[in-house]
Each structure stands twice: as structure tokens, then as C-alpha cells.
Amino acid sequence: MLLVLSEDHKEHLSFLPKVDAAVVGEFGRIALEFLRRGSSPKIYEGAARKLCVPVEMVQHGVEGLMYLMTESSKHMISEVDFLDSVLVLGFGEELNQTLLQLYLQHHSQIRSILSQLPSSQPAYHNLEWRLDVQLASRPIRQQVVPTVTLRLLLTGGADPSSRVLQTEPSSRVLQTEPSSRVLQTDLSRRVLQTDPSTLLHLISTLEAALAAIKTNHARRIFRNIK
């Protein structure tokens, strides 16, 4: 996938071609340190004095670089997608390669840091499933009605007592309740029930969407989104 950069983000990163590659690398180190411990105005002021530029320009450059690295690491984009994403910035080949090396060197560490930060969104933890088949009922003695029951375990961000509304007739959310380990690991669970044909259709649709986003046509669209 390609990153979609806002005009403000592009403006913040426009400072990078004005400095040497070594300074860009130092900005990457500072951005990583800020991600760990938070920003420090003194470091901005010191860098601004050395470069003879306003403090705000240095701050925006570091923050823009930090956003570029964190979003790329969060989505685990490939080398080709990263270079295509920064292509809209109009940087030279040398600077693009410098940014790519920063990303490749630090993306694992950035993902580790991001995983430790508190998040308001629930995250996937585990999925359990069971296949039930009804072979007969009181009005119909012989029948085959398969049902797939899924239990999705989530960490953080989810309210264990909340309930999810039914969205599809053939795919029902039965309940949302705390896991037995919720007090220890902050887990919540959602139990869903659907039929195999709907589940297969959902899988094929998601796989088609993932394949479509990797096409050259999708790349051109993302590259021209403002």
C-alpha cells in the first residue's frame, strides 16, 4: 500500500532537501528518540542554531520525518511502496534512498515502540472457531444446516460490556462479554455466528481488495490523492 501524505506533511518535509544526508540521518535518530521519550525543545533549539534556521522549521522537519517513519512501520509497507510514497515529495534519488535506509534500519524498533503505547482502538489477540451442523429438527427430520461460530479475542480499547449491532442477516453477533482472563490481560471477546457460504464470500472479498490495492492502477490513484 502507499501512504497518502497531506499538504501540511509535504510542507514540513520540504525542509529535508536543504540539509546534508548526515543531518537527515540525525533527524531520524532524534525522531526515534522523541518517539520513545517525547519531544525536547532544547534539542530543536540546538539543531536550529547549528543550521541557522528557525526552530519551527527544525521541529516540523523532525515531526514530519517521525510521522513518515511511524506510518510506514505501522503498515509494514515494502521498499517499493515506500519509494513510491515519497515520490510525490519531489526529492532527489539520494535523499529518497537515505529515507529508505532510515526506514529499513528502524522499522522493527518503531513497531516495538508503537506496540507498547496505549491505544484507544481494540487490537486482534486470537481467534477461535467451531463448526456446528444441525442434522434434524422437529419439523424436518433430515437436513444439513452448517453454522460457523467464531470467538474473536481483542486486547485494549474495547468495552467488555458493550454489545455489537447485527449488520447482516446471515452473520450475527451473538454476544460481547469479558474473557475469563480480562482482568489479567485486558482481553474482551466477541462471539459471532455465520454460515459457511457467507464466510467464504467475506474471505474472497477481502482477498480481492488486498490484491486490488497492489495493482498499478491503485498506485496511480494513491499517488495523485491530495
Side-chain angles (χ1 to χ4, degrees):
M1 64 171 292
L2 298 182
L3 296 179
V4 179
L5 306 178
S6 67
E7 291 300 321
D8 288 340
H9 189 198
K10 295 176 184 177
E11 183 179 354
H12 291 171
L13 291 174
S14 64
F15 170 66
L16 297 182
K18 303 176 183 178
V19 298
D20 295 335
V23 176
V24 176
E26 181 65 13
F27 277 10
R29 186 194 65 79
I30 295 174
L32 191 62
E33 193 66 21
F34 285 178
L35 187 60
R36 273 200 215 97
R37 303 180 182 179
S39 61
S40 174
K42 292 183 179 180
I43 296 182
Y44 289 140
E45 294 170 1
R49 282 196 299 269
K50 292 180 180 179
L51 298 172
C52 299
V53 296
V55 176
E56 293 78 11
M57 185 175 293
V58 174
Q59 180 178 352
H60 290 164
V62 173
E63 290 177 350
L65 187 58
M66 181 167 57
Y67 175 83
L68 177 64
M69 294 297 140
T70 53
E71 288 300 305
S72 301
S73 301
K74 185 188 302 181
H75 298 290
M76 298 180 65
I77 65 175
S78 64
E79 296 182 29
V80 174
D81 286 344
F82 183 88
L83 290 175
D84 284 348
S85 297
V86 299
L87 189 64
V88 297
L89 299 173
F91 295 162
E93 180 64 22
E94 183 180 358
L95 180 53
N96 288 342
Q97 288 298 323
T98 300
L99 295 176
L100 176 60
Q101 292 306 314
L102 278 175
Y103 167 61
L104 295 177
Q105 291 173 10
H106 300 298
H107 75 276
S108 297
Q109 191 174 3
I110 292 174
R111 283 183 60 82
S112 177
I113 295 173
L114 293 176
S115 67
Q116 300 172 14
L117 298 178
S119 174
S120 59
Q121 299 297 324
Y124 170 84
H125 178 72
N126 195 18
L127 177 66
E128 301 171 354
W129 62 275
R130 184 183 71 221
L131 176 62
D132 297 315
V133 180
Q134 181 176 329
L135 300 178
S137 62
R138 185 170 297 177
I140 305 177
R141 292 187 177 182
Q142 294 184 351
Q143 61 177 347
V144 178
V145 183
T147 302
V148 179
T149 302
L150 308 169
R151 183 168 66 175
L152 179 62
L153 297 178
L154 305 172
T155 58
D159 181 5
S161 61
S162 65
R163 289 187 174 273
V164 181
L165 297 178
Q166 179 177 335
T167 56
E168 292 291 341
S170 57
S171 181
R172 297 179 294 145
V173 177
L174 297 182
Q175 57 185 341
T176 301
E177 56 182 293
S179 167
S180 58
R181 294 175 293 169
V182 68
L183 296 179
Q184 298 178 3
T185 58
D186 192 26
L187 290 182
S188 63
R189 71 179 181 183
R190 280 159 171 71
V191 181
L192 307 97
Q193 198 174 69
T194 186
D195 59 273
S197 60
T198 300
L199 184 59
L200 290 173
H201 175 69
L202 177 61
I203 293 173
S204 63
T205 301
L206 291 175
E207 289 178 342
L210 290 173
I213 205 172
K214 298 177 182 179
T215 62
N216 291 331
H217 178 65
R219 290 176 185 273
R220 285 193 295 270
I221 293 176
F222 284 128
R223 194 177 293 124
N224 289 280
I225 290 178
K226 301 299 182 181

